[in-house]
Amino acid sequence: MSDLVAQFQLNFIDGDRWQLIVQGLGRTLVIAVFAVVIGVAIGALLAIIRSTYEKNGEDMKKRSKGRYALLSVLNFFAKIYLTIIRGTPVVVQLMIIYFIIFAGSNNDTLVAVIAFGINSGAYVAEIIRGGIMSIDEGQFEAGRSLGFNYAQTMIYIIIPQVFKVILPTLCNEFIVLLKETSVAGYIGIMDLTKAGDLIRGRTFSPFMPLIAVALIYLVMVMILTALVGRLERSLRKNER
Amino acid sequence: MNDNVLIQVKDLKKHYNDGEIKALDGINMEIDQGEVVVIIGPSGSGKSTFLRSLNLLEMPTSGQILVDGVDITNPKIDINLHRQKMGMVFQHFNLFPNMTIMKNMTLAPMKLLGKSKEEAEAKAKELLAVVGLEDRGDAYPNQLSGGQKQRVAIVRALCMEPEILLFDEPTSALDPEMVGEVLDVMKKLAEDGMTMAVVTHEMGFAREVASRVVFMDDGVVIEENTPSEIFENPQSDRLKNFLAKVL
Ligand SMILES: Nc1ncnc2c1ncn2[C@@H]1O[C@H](COP(=O)(O)OP(=O)(O)O)[C@@H](O)[C@H]1O
Ligand SMILES: [Mg+2]
């Protein structure tokens, strides 16, 4: 017991090392929150392109060749984006973006936000597209038959329903992202994981700092999971 | 061609899989203002495809559909404006589940016709009263029975003040005891002079309400005539066979 207390003292109290953990946690949260915002923005854009192509492409082809050509090109690039991002490890993407694309940048947190945002965007795109495709075709047809155009049907009728369907999944995406940011140390960012590792290197006692880091992730994930569960239940209750 | 023609369909074809499936294979038809055209025929004969072509939910392979003299298959026309004037009622109602009945009915008039909320709601209330649902405006679709949902779907379409209503098997998804309440609403509309095209298996409705019955099979119109001629004096073997099965 007294050994544990001594360990705690060594790893967190001496040299105010707990501050590293707090700073690291702050960095982790900043990266995850901003990355998910970027991810949702990119994901929504990609999903709109992909589902418009799938659902409205034929119609557009007949009415406007130019717009259809543009949509086809956008859809093509969206597909490439999705393939590359989902086909390579996030840590490799992070390093490519940091060491090659933004070589020499001194704002490594911003680079991490961009990298994780780009990564998350691919997964969010598929979540949103899946949500759009899950809505009964009859809803589109009802909208169109009332005289709404494609965009109006999406905005007034489909998206509000999609939002309800995918909100829990989007929150889960944030939880995944929160854990994935733990590789940020590869580009020298002192996030929560890196902070624990740093303390371990200084005190030569791995147990306390690494378990502490693990517990902090675990508690955050458990809290968020519980919140998502509540959200799901309340959405289901409102679903009449 | 008389002045009352609302819709004129010329040699309408809809093929799938490069012509392998001929859902519609040359339909010619006129629908006059105030007419109730009931379309009957075996399953797979192209009834839904025909009805859905009339507001271009299905894009025809070839042929023309003239509405008020305007060919709506022309890609240059604004199909959305035309759809506003052609209400559609679906087999599965397709009410918006996340909106109240009132919202279901006022969304399109407010967004598309530029009606104020008060105006749109007043109209919706009036129509709900006609179908006996004046107290259900605040309900959500899944709080209603199937028959009630379909009555709402009909008045939702009416809120756009369409020139014609298209019905695709409006009672086929209903429990038998609810069929009557929906047919009654449709009958009332017909009496009030609404132009309607109705795909249905309710032969009683066809006999009583239709101004004309169209019998389709294999993507073509086999026979079309007054209800009494169709039911008492069928000409083709196919119609005789069909009637033998359904009556
Ligand atoms: N999207 C489609 N692809 C291929 N074949 C189709 C499609 N939609 C309808 N069909 C075919 O067209 C024919 C007519 O269908 P439909 O109009 O639904 O008939 P009905 O409403 O009279 O039962 C059927 O043979 C059907 O299988
Ligand atoms: Mg059908």
Side-chain angles (χ1 to χ4, degrees):
Chain A
M1 188 65 206
S2 64
D3 189 39
L4 279 182
V5 173
Q7 282 276 319
F8 190 85
Q9 170 86 24
L10 170 70
N11 282 296
F12 301 123
I13 311 296
D14 291 355
D16 282 339
R17 289 194 183 107
W18 61 272
Q19 286 185 355
L20 288 174
I21 298 282
V22 172
Q23 284 165 15
L25 174 60
R27 190 63 56 96
T28 290
L29 287 173
V30 164
I31 293 173
V33 167
F34 284 100
V36 88
V37 170
I38 293 179
V40 169
I42 293 178
L45 193 68
L46 291 175
I48 288 167
I49 292 170
R50 299 257 293 142
S51 53
T52 303
Y53 183 80
E54 279 171 46
K55 293 194 92 77
N56 203 35
E58 285 303 309
D59 202 39
M60 202 184 263
K61 200 159 148 186
K62 295 208 177 67
R63 293 175 186 281
S64 166
K65 288 262 184 318
R67 280 165 68 185
Y68 179 72
L70 176 67
L71 183 65
S72 304
V73 171
L74 289 174
N75 184 57
F76 177 73
F77 282 111
K79 266 184 169 161
I80 290 182
Y81 179 98
L82 293 172
T83 306
I84 293 175
I85 296 298
R86 295 193 301 161
T88 54
V90 63
V91 62
V92 176
Q93 293 163 19
L94 178 69
M95 289 196 291
I96 288 175
I97 290 173
Y98 183 71
F99 291 113
I100 302 175
I101 298 174
F102 286 104
S105 158
N106 48 20
N107 192 341
D108 43 13
T109 301
L110 182 63
V111 172
V113 165
I114 292 170
F116 285 112
I118 286 175
N119 179 267
S120 177
Y123 293 93
V124 171
E126 291 302 275
I127 293 171
I128 298 178
R129 192 175 73 99
I132 293 173
M133 293 302 164
S134 77
I135 304 296
D136 180 20
E137 188 62 27
Q139 295 288 309
F140 280 91
E141 293 186 347
R144 298 307 302 268
S145 77
L146 285 166
F148 288 112
N149 64 29
Y150 178 79
Q152 289 169 325
T153 304
M154 290 301 279
I155 292 166
Y156 297 134
I157 295 159
I158 306 302
I159 301 288
Q161 296 185 48
V162 170
F163 192 71
K164 262 176 100 167
V165 174
I166 65 169
L167 198 57
T169 323
L170 275 185
C171 294
N172 282 326
E173 169 63 18
F174 177 72
I175 294 175
V176 170
L177 190 62
L178 185 70
K179 288 182 287 175
E180 276 189 343
T181 58
S182 62
V183 298
Y186 274 87
I187 61 167
I189 290 176
M190 212 220 29
D191 70 327
L192 178 58
T193 303
K194 189 73 186 173
D197 194 45
L198 213 65
I199 296 174
R200 179 195 60 79
R202 291 199 190 149
T203 61
F204 300 106
S205 88
F207 181 79
M208 274 278 172
L210 295 186
I211 295 299
V213 164
L215 278 176
I216 293 171
Y217 278 114
L218 183 62
V219 168
M220 286 194 293
V221 169
M222 283 170 65
I223 291 172
L224 289 170
T225 306
L227 290 177
V228 174
R230 274 173 74 168
L231 180 72
E232 268 181 321
R233 275 193 299 279
S234 83
L235 283 179
R236 219 175 298 140
K237 207 164 53 196
N238 288 342
E239 179 183 292
R240 323 191 211 198
Chain B
M1 177 173 150
N2 67 49
D3 299 342
N4 273 341
V5 176
L6 183 62
I7 295 183
Q8 193 175 22
V9 178
K10 291 183 184 169
D11 199 21
L12 190 69
K13 294 185 180 169
K14 174 69 180 185
H15 294 177
Y16 290 105
N17 303 351
D18 291 321
E20 198 183 309
I21 300 171
K22 296 184 168 70
L24 298 179
D25 204 16
I27 304 269
N28 291 287
M29 198 185 295
E30 274 184 16
I31 300 176
D32 290 352
Q33 222 122 41
E35 252 196 314
V36 178
V37 176
V38 171
I39 301 161
I40 61 173
S43 164
S45 57
K47 306 181 297 295
S48 296
T49 308
F50 174 67
L51 204 68
R52 292 158 55 82
S53 299
L54 292 181
N55 66 356
L56 253 48
L57 281 184
E58 303 287 352
M59 198 64 192
T61 310
S62 67
Q64 287 182 314
I65 301 164
L66 306 178
V67 180
D68 293 325
V70 179
D71 182 6
I72 62 169
T73 62
N74 180 349
K76 295 209 172 61
I77 66 117
D78 183 354
I79 185 58
N80 301 305
L81 283 177
H82 275 274
R83 286 197 182 122
Q84 291 178 17
K85 295 187 275 176
M86 308 173 86
M88 184 146 201
V89 176
F90 301 87
Q91 184 176 353
H92 296 288
F93 331 126
N94 299 353
L95 296 179
F96 308 131
N98 55 330
M99 302 177 197
T100 61
I101 300 311
M102 188 51 77
K103 193 79 204 297
N104 263 277
M105 295 175 67
T106 55
L107 183 71
M110 285 168 63
K111 301 290 182 192
L112 297 173
L113 303 180
K115 285 197 180 182
S116 70
K117 189 161 187 266
E118 294 69 35
E119 256 181 300
E121 289 191 348
K123 174 85 185 170
K125 279 187 187 136
E126 185 187 308
L127 286 165
L128 280 175
V130 171
V131 296
L133 294 169
E134 56 273 32
D135 53 348
R136 304 315 303 272
D138 295 328
Y140 282 83
N142 78 349
Q143 296 170 315
L144 303 186
S145 71
Q148 292 175 326
K149 282 183 202 167
Q150 195 60 299
R151 283 185 273 158
V152 170
I154 293 170
V155 286
R156 178 177 71 179
L158 287 176
C159 280
M160 290 298 286
E161 297 171 30
E163 291 175 0
I164 180 170
L165 273 185
L166 312 173
F167 294 83
D168 192 1
E169 299 199 27
T171 58
S172 296
L174 297 177
D175 292 334
E177 75 270 19
M178 295 175 182
V179 170
E181 65 193 62
V182 171
L183 293 180
D184 284 346
V185 168
M186 293 167 62
K187 198 173 146 194
K188 192 149 48 169
L189 284 175
E191 284 163 2
D192 290 346
M194 183 52 129
T195 312
M196 312 188 347
V198 184
V199 172
T200 184
H201 295 297
E202 295 293 332
M203 294 304 149
F205 177 83
R207 219 188 264 262
E208 193 183 346
V209 182
S211 31
R212 182 155 45 106
V213 177
V214 174
F215 172 65
M216 281 182 69
D217 200 4
D218 285 338
V220 292
V221 173
I222 306 286
E223 251 178 82
E224 77 182 292
N225 217 323
T226 59
S228 56
E229 280 299 307
I230 288 282
F231 291 111
E232 317 311 341
N233 190 19
Q235 301 296 311
S236 63
D237 288 341
R238 282 207 256 187
L239 177 53
K240 284 177 194 160
N241 278 335
F242 175 74
L243 291 176
K245 275 183 215 138
V246 297
L247 289 179

